[in-house]
Amino acid sequence: MGSASAHGGERGPAAAGADGDGQDVSRRQYQILLRQCSYANTAAARTRCRADVRRTYRIGAVNPSLDCRTYSGVTVCGKLMLSPSERACVRDSVAKGISYRRSEVECYAFL
């Protein structure tokens, strides 16, 4: 996700529809994208993240190319833009044998 707003001003849903038309996603995918904004660590970052989702995505058909995954009870969709500390967490977790995808979600949600 290529926006720079969801967590500490450094991560959030990617601007998939660069032309501003919005990318179709299912209602469930849209709700996940909005819900993952709750992991932002300031109210302003959460507000920006939700605005990015509303601007970038629209409810339509299921988008099979939107990468949604669940680890440790946390579901996220799309590319996660991680802060430097979250990237360090991912590197450390991967070095300890945890998969990249799992590390990414857990560091995004729990760091």
Side-chain angles (χ1 to χ4, degrees):
M1 295 197 233
S3 166
S5 63
H7 195 61
E10 297 194 47
R11 65 183 174 135
D19 59 2
D21 290 336
Q23 179 179 358
D24 276 349
V25 294
S26 71
R27 179 173 302 280
R28 183 173 188 282
Q29 288 172 318
Y30 190 82
Q31 290 169 339
I32 291 166
L33 287 159
L34 283 175
R35 194 174 309 122
Q36 72 194 43
C37 292
S38 68
Y39 297 111
N41 53 355
T42 68
R46 288 187 293 274
T47 298
R48 283 190 308 271
C49 177
R50 290 180 186 110
D52 287 349
V53 169
R54 290 181 181 109
R55 182 178 56 253
T56 304
Y57 300 97
R58 66 174 177 244
I59 297 172
V62 170
N63 184 335
S65 67
L66 185 64
D67 180 22
C68 296
R69 61 257 186 226
T70 302
Y71 293 98
S72 300
V74 175
T75 300
V76 298
C77 290
K79 179 174 168 39
L80 301 177
M81 298 305 292
L82 304 176
S83 69
S85 61
E86 291 162 339
R87 286 192 300 270
C89 173
V90 170
R91 283 190 302 274
D92 183 58
S93 295
V94 168
K96 292 177 181 173
I98 299 171
S99 75
Y100 178 85
R101 286 172 58 84
R102 181 179 197 117
S103 298
E104 183 184 41
V105 172
E106 291 177 349
C107 291
Y108 176 81
F110 301 124
L111 187 64

